[in-house]
Amino acid sequence: MNRIAIASIQQESNTFSPVATRYADFAPVYGEDVLAKHEGKLTETGGFISVLRERKIKPVPVCAAWAITAGRMVKADFARLMRGFRKSLNATGHVDGLLMAMHGAETAEGVDDVEGHVLGIAREVLGPDLPIVLTLDLHANVTRAMAKLVNAIVGYHTYPHVDMFETGRKAAEILLDLRAGAELHTAYRKLPLIVNAENSQTTANGPFATLMQAAQEMEAAGHARAVSLFPVQPWLDIKEMGCAVTVVSEDRAEAEAAAGFLARQFWEARRDFEPELLSVPEALERARAIEGGPVVLSESADSTGSGSPGDSSGLLKHLLKADLDGPAAIFVVDPPAVEQAFAAGVGAKLGFRLGGHYDRVNSKPVAVRGVVRMLSDGRWTPRARGYNPGIPQSMGRACVIESGHLQILVAERSMMTVDPELFRSHGIDPVYCKLVAVKSPNGFRAAYEPIAKAMFLVDTPGVSTARLERLPWKNVSRPIYPLDPALP
Ligand SMILES: [Zn+2]
């Protein structure tokens, strides 16, 4: 009977982030606990397991580790995670292949390409001939090492990301075909290109939707097993940085031609990615002109899904004094404020200094006078398709502070804000709000679009700003668009 190893180590890095990533942020599990965490869940690993079970093949679980986006991983913590991965992979005994789920844009102190590093370990343990199929987030920074070390790469096809499960299933089918003797070639193209995340949606209205449609048509027509487009997450100041295209096919010439075609189309579309960002006063003005709610304001420069700390006061300071005809809600990461609320207790009215806790460059704390409405252990479970649905999450301790019309969900640790369930789990239903602030460039659209009256992107300072020219780039290879806009 075939035995296929399954593993996931997933994080998106933002090298401009002031918050380092630690081992505990990954909440890693090893061995059988991987199955308990992912079987039946809509994750890549859930997809791997579902195909293997259907084919009566034994999934051999190695590890499952997922961390919220942040800065480079601390060196010692990274070494510990790598030891855990190697040890668990060594302990699997004989396996017939490896299915590996990674983000594709993870960095650690001294390591710009964590995925390449991990896959190097996998090759050391498993040897050069065993098939390895890698799934990647659409925002992966696909490197030469990744393309060389695996037999096939399969990227998400959706942004907002809602196809993790399908991506996992596709990868597993490809791995089993490789086991059955299929010979696959991966064509790889790298572009001197960064595009912002705010206008990269694959849903209607955007340049990337057109590109992805072409990729999907190639797959559907049987020209390739997996066609993946990677608009790399933009906040990665490393040398080997840029958008990429990969095409996996039995036919080498067809794969190379398709990858070349899509890379050219991608490059030609580069100027169409510019998003419309509004100043906060302008966005509030537009929101007030709309009857009812919720109107969603996206503060993407402080996106917790893009490596920002989630501690900006850029939008918060305006919401505190905004003249609104209904409640508003925002999420802020601020450990001392949570400590203060716990010390005071539910019902206490007191003054806080909120925001600017980690990122002192881009925002300053603001004075908030409010009532502590709720204290919690910060545990909740995402429900929407996307990140970790059905898998309990922890944002450290949390509290809800009410200041006038504004409900502020304050947490000790960063958390994805794309699922309205985050607020609902703390007694705030976005459906009944006039305004909801999210910290996400695009992912929020999946679950918020069906309930939102309107959605606006606001322009505040932060380490995940769409204004890429504002960031202190040092290491990225030049020339690269849009930092070198005249590039032909
Ligand atoms: Zn992504």
Side-chain angles (χ1 to χ4, degrees), residues 151 177-186 225 248-252:
N151 299 75
D177 286 355
L178 285 163
R179 282 299 302 160
E183 289 198 19
L184 295 177
H185 173 75
T186 300
R225 293 300 309 274
V248 179
S249 172
E250 286 88 354
D251 186 325
R252 176 182 291 264

Side-chain angles (χ1 to χ4, degrees), residues 12 103 137 139 161 387:
E12 177 180 288
H103 180 284
D137 188 285
H139 295 105
H161 309 317
Y387 299 94

